[in-house]
Amino acid sequence: LDLVSQGTLLDGYERLKRSLPMVQAALSVARGLDRFLPLHQPEDEAHRLVERFLFLLTEENAVRMRIALTLKLLSLLGHQPHFSTCLRCGRRTGPFRFLPARGGILCSNCAGEEGIPLSAGLSRSLAWLLSHPLERSGVIHLSEEEWRRADELLGAYIEALFRA
């Protein structure tokens, strides 16, 4: 059993507590960390990423930042999804379908009806978010529907990881 006898609050993130979307984004990230990080094993880089996320989080960017951070954490922990080319034929033009069990995309020719459909633009945007710092995520502009689709496919991917 671990015993904590003393603690000090470094930052209470008061600005986050005034916005429901920001609280929801932070809680979603916390739940993900709880599922992904092994117990009793320090993961300093993951915690630094979350600290940057909390610092950068605003009500307007809550969904985008949560998705960008989730992608980065998946990559950091060895589960980086593949969004740049078809896993089977290497095609770079969409439309694509994301296959959670395979952790990547297939073009419409290779996938048939299998997987979650996504546009080439969403695929490129998610690949960009994976390869650039959180601070730069603001350059990605997607519709609400595309952010929902990104959220859906990441959720399906995470569930597939836990089933494996």
Side-chain angles (χ1 to χ4, degrees):
L1 290 173
D2 292 328
L3 176 64
V4 177
S5 61
Q6 187 175 0
T8 303
L9 180 64
L10 299 177
D11 188 340
Y13 296 101
E14 288 299 318
R15 64 182 182 74
L16 300 182
K17 297 174 188 174
R18 291 184 223 117
S19 164
L20 184 58
M22 289 174 22
V23 169
Q24 288 172 326
L27 287 173
S28 175
V29 165
R31 281 191 301 273
L33 285 177
D34 186 50
R35 285 181 84 181
F36 271 109
L37 296 182
L39 288 176
H40 308 294
Q41 183 176 328
E43 292 287 346
D44 294 337
E45 184 62 27
H47 290 285
R48 278 192 291 279
L49 268 172
V50 172
E51 188 175 16
R52 274 198 354 250
F53 163 79
L54 292 173
F55 177 76
L56 296 167
L57 187 62
T58 66
E59 192 165 340
E60 295 77 31
N61 74 9
V63 172
R64 179 183 68 237
M65 289 297 292
R66 181 177 47 79
I67 289 171
L69 178 70
T70 301
L71 287 167
K72 294 201 171 305
L73 287 172
L74 285 168
S75 178
L76 179 68
L77 298 172
H79 302 287
Q80 180 173 328
H82 183 81
F83 293 110
S84 55
T85 60
C86 174
L87 291 171
R88 191 170 291 150
C89 71
R91 185 174 170 187
R92 294 184 179 276
T93 57
F96 296 106
R97 296 183 83 79
F98 181 78
L99 283 75
R102 296 202 46 198
I105 58 172
L106 291 178
C107 67
S108 55
N109 294 336
C110 293
E113 295 300 312
E114 189 180 359
I116 302 167
L118 74 155
S119 67
L122 178 56
S123 178
R124 280 192 304 275
S125 295
L126 293 173
W128 194 94
L129 287 171
L130 267 167
S131 63
H132 289 79
L134 284 174
E135 292 82 0
R136 302 270 326 272
S137 68
V139 302
I140 299 296
H141 297 285
L142 298 171
S143 69
E144 282 188 43
E145 176 58 35
E146 289 173 311
W147 286 119
R148 274 193 295 278
R149 179 58 51 100
D151 208 17
E152 173 192 354
L153 66 89
L154 283 176
Y157 179 52
I158 291 167
E159 288 306 312
L161 288 173
F162 281 101
R163 281 193 303 266

